[in-house]
Amino acid sequence: MASFTLHGIPVSRGIAIGRAHLLAPAALDVKHYLIAEEHVEAEVVRLQTALTAVHRELQTLWNELPKDAPTELGAFIDVHALILSDPMISEAPLDIIRSRHYNAEWALVTQIEELSSQFDEIEDAYLRERKVDIQQVAERVLKVLMGSEPLAAPNAVNPDDDEFMAQMVVIAHDISPADMLKFRDRSFIGFVTDVGGQNSHTAIVARSLDIPAAVGVAQASTLIEQDDWVIIDGDAGVVIVSPSALVLEQYRERQLAAQRARKKLSKLKKTPAVTKDGTAITLLANIELPDDCGPALEAGANGVGLFRSEFLFMGRAANMPSEDEQFEQYRRAVVAMKGRPVTIRTLDIGADKPLDPTEHTALNPALGLRAIRYCLSEPQLFLTQLRAILRASAFGKVRILIPMLAHAFEIDQSLAMIEQAKAQLREANVKYDASVEVGAMIEIPAAALALPMFVRKMNFLSIGTNDLIQYTLAIDRVDYEVAHLYNPLHPAILQLISMTIAAGQKAGIDVAVCGEMAGDTKLTRLLLGMGLREFSMHPAQLLAVKQEILNSDLGAIAPLTRKILRSTDPDGIADAVLALQTS
Ligand code: PEP
Ligand code: MG
């Protein structure tokens, strides 16, 4: 097959070389995991048993058809029984389990997707419609499978045990942030999606997985075929399909060089992050779930600067986490961090992080009932979360961070709700840290332009550059068609960040950056020059940023930073930022 190259938006560093695994959105609804060699035959039997059960189910349905039932009904059951007996359904998925070690549900869905795309190409409209019958049969089998105990736990396979399994890259039209999170324990080595922006939450989660990824690679899921060999250059956002032996060799070398560089970086784990001139910098971790505390500590984080608590809620509209469940999760993070601060951001649901992905979305969700706006409209839900966070504060140092504040009344109402949650705990004789600090995300331009309103009442600030850029430049961070306008170095953005840091310094309160800019080594010196002393990022980025800090001299950075902040010339700014990196 001829080689071709696709271009998209780089999301996560590094080179991945593997075989394409095409993922249709429906496939995400079933569990995906790999079966260890010794369990493969048992998994085959599990699927066979489910297929037999559905046969019986159809037989019973047929037998119990009322005498006066329309004849179409019987014919309909016959068609489903025929489909079920076809080797394409009764045999092919079993082969997939054997050859690829997929779990039964995944193997079945993979085969159905393959069949569906073949049906899409059929010209005869009647036959094309039969695709629906195949999907209905598959749904019956999936239902039975889901009721049967999986034989092997997810992630039962150590990717290193099986070279083939460790070589899969996921190609999808789009992956929701919640679904992306499900890939955390799997052995995929890279991601490519057709849509998405660099700082969409899907991209952020992909980055936290620390594997090469590219988004906004238009048509990737239609042009790339199942099992194609693919190189993802996560630094450049380039995807090379069916590469030549020469290209493959070049990328393998780059991959090895990157591995060596990482190994070298890992030596910095215990080194304090201090600039050449002796200024100590705090490096914090962004986490999505308590389990991320492990990698955070491993990378030498001084604490958690952003716990995106909404990941505990996403996809659970019908079964919201209770106060106890939330408390347990927050407590786990706090205990895991062993006395280091854990900044828990209250629920930032909405926009590209819907509570229920199937629900009717607002006209313009990024500007809609998101984050604190949502929480203030659902006081019981907010109070429940606040009580859970406060209870966890009895087990270590907790800070509460409120997202998307813009109005004075939102600050006042949030603080009042925190006081109310405390009062409820006191009444119930439940312990919490009375001095828990409360901070504001500065991520709406209005907030950055009205800082006195914030510094008067808040204990700390955290700049959410992802949204600050989205809202200042009026571009949807999820929309790849405007992704080229997403520019952290736009003079307006630099002014807003610099003003926020200065206001915090003046008021004597801590200011962090927890947006993706904090983990971008190209911007480390610029942020240091603006006076930033707290950076919060995904653990995977932490050591590279630390290295940059260790090599920085604040005295040398200051004049260039001043020049950048005075400039309104985009090229001049870009050049000066480049010069800063070598200063
Ligand atoms: C931000 O907006 O920069 C931020 C850190 O929050 P999120 O990416 O979750 O919106
Ligand atoms: Mg944000």
Side-chain angles (χ1 to χ4, degrees), residues 345 348 370 443 467 477:
R345 180 173 70 184
D348 181 3
R370 182 187 161 184
E443 52 183 347
D467 279 315
R477 61 197 266 196

Side-chain angles (χ1 to χ4, degrees), residues 201 306 308 310 345 348 353 370-371 403-404 441 443 464-468 470-471 477 514-515:
H201 285 92
L306 174 65
R308 288 185 163 95
E310 54 276 8
R345 180 173 70 184
D348 181 3
K353 292 181 286 193
R370 182 187 161 184
M404 236 186 141
M441 293 277 299
E443 52 183 347
T465 51
N466 308 335
D467 279 315
L468 190 62
Q470 156 163 270
Y471 295 124
R477 61 197 266 196
C514 65

Side-chain angles (χ1 to χ4, degrees), residues 215-261:
V215 299
V217 186
Q219 310 255 340
S221 69
T222 33
L223 296 173
I224 301 175
E225 290 184 11
Q226 183 79 16
D227 293 333
D228 276 351
W229 277 98
V230 167
I231 297 175
I232 304 174
D233 180 344
D235 299 296
V238 167
V239 181
I240 305 168
V241 187
S242 306
S244 67
L246 187 70
V247 170
L248 209 55
E249 188 52 36
Q250 285 168 347
Y251 274 94
R252 287 234 156 89
E253 270 169 31
R254 278 184 55 188
Q255 213 175 17
L256 284 175
Q259 273 163 14
R260 279 195 294 272

Side-chain angles (χ1 to χ4, degrees), residues 541-558:
Q541 300 157 326
L542 205 135
L543 291 176
V545 170
K546 189 191 278 187
Q547 187 178 44
E548 202 60 26
I549 290 168
L550 294 173
N551 292 329
S552 298
D553 182 331
L554 294 185
I557 289 171

